[in-house]
Amino acid sequence: MPQLNFKRLLVEYKKVQSAISAGQAQGILRCEPVGDNMLEWDVDMTFPEGSPLQTSLDALAESMFDAEMKKLTLSVRFPAEYPLSPPEVWLRRPRMRHCSEHAGAVTFGGRVCSLTLASPGWNPVTAMLSVLEDVRRLGNEGGTERKKQDSYFKKVVCRVKMRTLVAIAVEHERSGTTPHKMPNGKARGPPRDFVEASQIGGTWTLIAYGIMLVVFLFELASFMSPGYTTMMTLDKAGSDLLQINFDVDVHDIECRNLQLVVYAQNGKEKLGVLGEDFWLRSIDASGKTFGVSIKPQEYQWQGQEEDDHDKVMQKVRQQDGAEEIDSDWASSHDGFKHKSFEHVIQGHDFTFINFFAGWCSHCQKFAPEWDQIAEKIHGKGDAPAMKFPDKDGIERPIRLIKLNCVDFKETCVEKGIDAYPTLRLYKADGSFTVYDGRRGEAEIVRWLERMAKMRSYGWGKHHETFERGCNARGRLQVPRVPGHLELMAGGGDQTLNPRMTNVSHTIKHLSFSDAEDDTYSRKTPLLAARLLQQGWKHFPGEVTRNLAPLDGRKFVTSGFHQAYIHDLKVVSTVAGKETSYQFQHQARISKLPEAAIPQAQFHYDIEPFSIHVKTDEKRWYDFGTSLCAVLGGAFVVLRLASRFSVHLSASLKLGAKAQRGGAMSIGHFE
């Protein structure tokens, strides 16, 4: 559908203003937009001295003692398809009439008609100054005069009487009847076709009743469901802030490694967030939340709570040589074969593995602490090795082993290691549990003691069992400028593996609102979304479906080094006292370099204009007028159809007496 060329409209407006200022617009005194609406202009113009129209205007101004009445005021209205479609020019004041000697340029409704303003004669390159000059020429040459009220109403009454008499005469002549005469010559009684009954007339009566009932119901439905109109103006936001409401699940990034950051449109400058009110909560592989909601600045990684479950130990140990089984996998050139990771696990009751990478800063910081813990548990010199009692009270040793994921990359990929360092405690049967607490000596030793006593609860044989995601929910108040919201993976107490980082996500809710909006709550996010929707009830359906179009949608990447980027075009929308924001969405998958960590990004651009939605309700008298018009039209059409069918039926019956079809009357059909 063609769109309004707003730039062309501004150029035409400036040209008209320049011509008026330079005195080159003959007779055009003023051209101003109506309020802030550039789609409607008010134009004042006068006509040459001595012309019939100007003479009439001068007389009107003199009789009303108002010099302003010497000019003609027009309303120029531009359609949404301008300049592909012509504008409409309407007469605002004073009221006009057509001269009997000429075909005037103004309709009874007040619209100015000319070939230039009609679709067949319109040219998209026509200048508005030329259009106004053409309207002035038509007013001067078309014989249009100011309306005289008394003579006008007399002519209307005479024409109504004459048309009534002519209609009655034509009706009698067509039906072949004559009006019944009274002694004084006056007509009495209706024509025979109003009182004669026929089978066809009765059938058409039933059809008419059904059609009129349907028409009435449609007209009533139109009255009960009013439409709306829209108007576009420059955005006059009362606040310099914009609020982003969000509820997003990131399925494969733990909360400890997730941050929410807002950048400027160029992606380099970090915008200051003036209102930050959101929470992070862990989710499992099925998307269900667990644990407590924690603000990012309050997130502290404490040890897991002690569990009441005891652990069942199955001793499966295969000896491949003590040195080979007990050696660290710190390097592929340390003299050991390192053929089988499974043999290392099977060779100990418990094996505590530290998966690390040499370039990881967190691993480098943790390395001295790990060596100290290993010396304490393995024993050094005369100090005996530590034993950890299991559920039956039997003391079991735990072997600590480092595994370098740079030299043994295939093993780490196979085990699903996506962040460094990762600490896992394996049992001899291959099941394991993950340590995600504070990496301190006392905390790790207490955790190992607790795990050694546990039963099967908390253990699994596949790394997917321990995959955790994060739910980010809340709101951010950001400067009202284009920017992008980034769900940034990384920045926690682990270094992420770019190859294994997956930022697939589900958007439960995403919307924009004014900074004063306080209806989004962390405690009841679904209820908060409904509260937002209650504020949207003033908007029509075509608008509400674009206020939160991403709710419930999933965005899942299918390969390594990929991330979704969302481009959002935001438009403020006003209905009454309610203001909300529509946005259009485009999603694309970005392919990243191998060293870059994928990030989910939401780029938003705020449009400089605002859309005002106004309800267009139909008045009760408009409903009554249109209903009478539609029912009357249906009555006339069906009556003509009834008469035609009767005459057609009579002509087909050769030798039979022609039957006259019954005519319809209000309330009774024959």
Side-chain angles (χ1 to χ4, degrees):
M1 181 178 178
Q3 298 294 322
L4 173 68
N5 192 332
F6 199 75
K7 183 177 180 180
R8 165 71 183 279
L9 187 59
L10 291 176
V11 171
E12 294 295 337
Y13 175 72
K14 292 180 179 179
K15 288 182 178 179
V16 175
Q17 290 289 355
S18 299
I20 295 174
S21 301
Q24 299 175 356
Q26 296 182 358
I28 302 176
L29 306 179
R30 182 180 67 95
C31 179
E32 297 292 343
V34 179
D36 294 334
N37 187 9
M38 283 297 299
L39 300 181
E40 184 175 356
W41 298 354
D42 276 350
V43 179
D44 293 341
M45 63 174 58
T46 59
F47 300 88
E49 292 294 334
S51 63
L53 181 55
Q54 188 61 45
T55 302
S56 181
L57 290 173
D58 293 342
L60 176 64
E62 183 178 356
S63 64
M64 299 187 68
F65 303 100
D66 187 359
E68 293 294 324
M69 301 302 294
K70 290 185 178 182
K71 58 188 178 182
L72 202 66
T73 302
L74 303 175
S75 176
V76 183
R77 304 170 187 174
F78 295 89
E81 297 82 8
Y82 179 82
L84 299 181
S85 296
E88 298 178 359
V89 180
W90 294 79
L91 179 64
R92 289 192 59 187
R93 59 181 179 269
R95 297 183 62 185
M96 309 298 292
R97 72 174 177 86
H98 292 283
C99 290
S100 58
E101 299 88 353
H102 306 280
V106 181
T107 65
F108 286 105
R111 183 172 179 178
V112 179
C113 300
S114 71
L115 181 60
T116 305
L117 296 175
S119 296
W122 171 254
N123 191 334
V125 300
T126 303
M128 282 305 301
L129 183 59
S130 300
V131 172
L132 296 178
E133 292 175 348
D134 185 56
V135 171
R136 184 174 180 271
R137 179 185 58 80
L138 288 175
N140 185 39
E141 300 176 358
T144 309
E145 295 183 2
R146 182 176 57 83
K147 185 173 183 179
K148 297 178 181 178
Q149 301 292 342
D150 296 340
S151 60
Y152 174 76
F153 285 113
K154 290 179 180 179
K155 290 182 179 180
V156 170
V157 173
C158 293
R159 288 175 182 173
V160 170
K161 291 181 178 180
M162 182 60 67
R163 288 175 181 173
T164 304
L165 295 176
V166 171
I168 294 175
V170 171
E171 179 66 24
H172 287 305
E173 182 180 355
R174 192 191 316 173
S175 61
T177 62
T178 57
H180 297 278
K181 299 290 184 177
M182 295 180 66
N184 57 3
K186 294 184 179 180
R188 64 178 180 85
R192 283 184 295 172
D193 61 349
F194 274 85
V195 295
E196 283 188 358
S198 69
Q199 186 176 2
I200 296 178
T203 302
W204 278 104
T205 297
L206 296 178
I207 295 174
Y209 279 144
I211 292 178
M212 289 186 177
L213 178 61
V214 172
V215 170
F216 172 77
L217 293 177
F218 275 105
E219 192 67 22
L220 181 62
S222 176
F223 174 70
M224 298 301 293
S225 56
Y228 66 94
T229 57
T230 58
M231 182 178 66
M232 182 176 63
T233 62
L234 291 177
D235 188 9
K236 299 180 180 179
S239 173
D240 295 333
L241 298 179
L242 179 69
Q243 181 167 299
I244 305 176
N245 308 302
F246 57 90
D247 187 356
V248 182
D249 285 346
V250 184
H251 300 289
D252 203 30
I253 302 296
E254 295 184 27
C255 292
R256 65 197 299 175
N257 294 318
L258 184 65
Q259 298 184 46
L260 271 73
V261 186
V262 181
Y263 291 98
Q265 195 172 32
N266 57 17
K268 298 179 180 179
E269 178 187 359
K270 186 176 180 181
L271 294 178
V273 178
L274 302 181
E276 186 175 280
D277 191 14
F278 68 93
W279 300 263
L280 303 177
R281 189 178 182 185
S282 298
I283 58 174
D284 58 21
S286 63
K288 295 182 179 180
T289 57
F290 64 91
V292 295
S293 298
I294 303 176
K295 284 193 173 184
Q297 60 269 27
E298 298 174 355
Y299 207 101
Q300 299 177 359
W301 305 104
Q302 305 297 336
Q304 293 183 346
E305 296 181 358
E306 183 174 355
D307 232 307
D308 294 334
H309 299 278
D310 290 331
K311 162 173 143 325
V312 175
M313 186 191 73
Q314 297 180 359
K315 184 177 180 180
V316 180
R317 181 176 178 86
Q318 299 178 357
Q319 295 291 341
D320 289 345
E323 292 185 359
E324 179 73 25
I325 293 298
D326 294 341
S327 64
D328 286 326
W329 287 40
S331 172
S332 58
H333 304 288
D334 56 2
F336 295 101
K337 297 179 180 180
H338 303 303
K339 288 184 177 181
S340 174
F341 179 81
E342 284 71 21
H343 287 183
V344 174
I345 301 303
Q346 295 170 356
H348 305 90
D349 289 333
F350 293 97
T351 310
F352 193 34
I353 306 293
N354 175 13
F355 296 91
F356 75 97
W359 48 263
C360 168
S361 59
H362 295 290
C363 301
Q364 297 170 4
K365 183 178 179 180
F366 178 58
E369 190 76 20
W370 173 266
D371 293 338
Q372 184 176 347
I373 297 172
E375 290 180 0
K376 180 177 181 179
I377 294 179
H378 294 163
K380 183 179 181 181
D382 297 334
M386 294 183 63
K387 300 288 185 177
F388 297 86
D390 62 12
K391 69 179 187 66
D392 298 321
I394 302 175
E395 293 187 345
R396 306 285 185 181
I398 296 179
R399 187 68 188 179
L400 275 64
I401 292 178
K402 295 186 295 184
L403 193 149
N404 190 339
C405 287
V406 176
D407 288 1
F408 303 99
K409 181 178 180 180
E410 293 78 9
T411 301
C412 292
V413 171
E414 179 184 352
K415 300 304 176 182
I417 304 301
D418 57 0
Y420 311 113
T422 295
L423 306 180
R424 291 182 179 178
L425 178 63
Y426 284 87
K427 291 194 300 183
D429 62 356
S431 61
F432 66 90
T433 187
V434 180
Y435 177 75
D436 58 359
R438 181 179 175 276
R439 290 189 286 269
E441 177 182 340
E443 290 82 2
I444 290 178
V445 172
R446 284 198 301 268
W447 182 80
L448 292 175
E449 292 174 348
R450 189 164 60 250
M451 290 298 105
K453 296 180 180 180
M454 288 183 62
R455 299 179 184 268
S456 60
Y457 178 80
W459 297 79
K461 292 189 177 183
H462 302 283
H463 66 86
E464 290 86 356
T465 307
F466 297 93
E467 290 294 343
R468 291 183 179 180
C470 186
N471 169 257
R473 179 177 68 250
R475 57 192 174 184
L476 294 174
Q477 293 181 359
V478 298
R480 198 183 181 90
V481 295
H484 72 265
L485 171 67
E486 186 170 304
L487 299 177
M488 190 173 71
D493 63 346
Q494 289 181 311
T495 301
L496 300 183
N497 183 354
R499 177 181 175 86
M500 301 298 293
T501 301
N502 183 1
V503 290
S504 298
H505 52 278
T506 297
I507 301 177
K508 294 182 177 180
H509 179 76
L510 179 65
S511 65
F512 297 86
S513 61
D514 288 334
E516 295 79 11
D517 186 3
D518 195 31
T519 57
Y520 202 82
S521 168
R522 75 175 178 91
K523 296 182 180 179
T524 55
L526 296 179
L527 175 60
R530 290 197 296 270
L531 290 175
L532 282 175
Q533 293 173 0
Q534 289 177 6
W536 300 340
K537 65 182 179 181
H538 300 281
F539 297 89
E542 290 79 0
V543 175
T544 54
R545 68 171 58 102
N546 294 319
L547 295 177
L550 297 182
D551 286 13
R553 293 184 58 180
K554 294 183 178 181
F555 298 90
V556 181
T557 56
S558 57
F560 297 116
H561 308 293
Q562 292 182 354
Y564 265 100
I565 296 180
H566 304 273
D567 295 308
L568 312 176
K569 295 289 186 180
V570 184
V571 181
S572 63
T573 307
V574 181
K577 296 182 179 179
E578 297 289 340
T579 301
S580 191
Y581 295 83
Q582 301 183 76
F583 64 89
Q584 186 182 30
H585 169 258
Q586 291 289 339
R588 53 190 172 92
I589 295 180
S590 175
K591 184 69 175 179
L592 304 174
E594 292 188 3
I597 298 178
Q599 314 289 352
Q601 300 179 6
F602 296 82
H603 295 254
Y604 57 89
D605 188 9
I606 305 173
E607 299 294 343
F609 58 85
S610 177
I611 297 177
H612 291 254
V613 182
K614 181 180 179 182
T615 304
D616 190 12
E617 298 181 351
K618 182 181 290 187
R619 303 293 183 179
W620 64 267
Y621 45 81
D622 292 333
F623 167 70
T625 303
S626 60
L627 180 62
C628 292
V630 172
L631 293 180
F635 177 88
V636 173
V637 171
L638 292 173
R639 182 184 177 190
L640 293 176
S642 172
R643 293 177 59 83
F644 174 77
S645 61
V646 169
H647 288 293
L648 180 62
S649 175
S651 63
L652 295 178
K653 295 181 180 179
L654 298 177
K657 183 178 179 180
Q659 297 183 3
R660 210 186 308 269
M664 296 181 293
S665 61
I666 298 177
H668 180 67
F669 295 92
E670 295 181 339

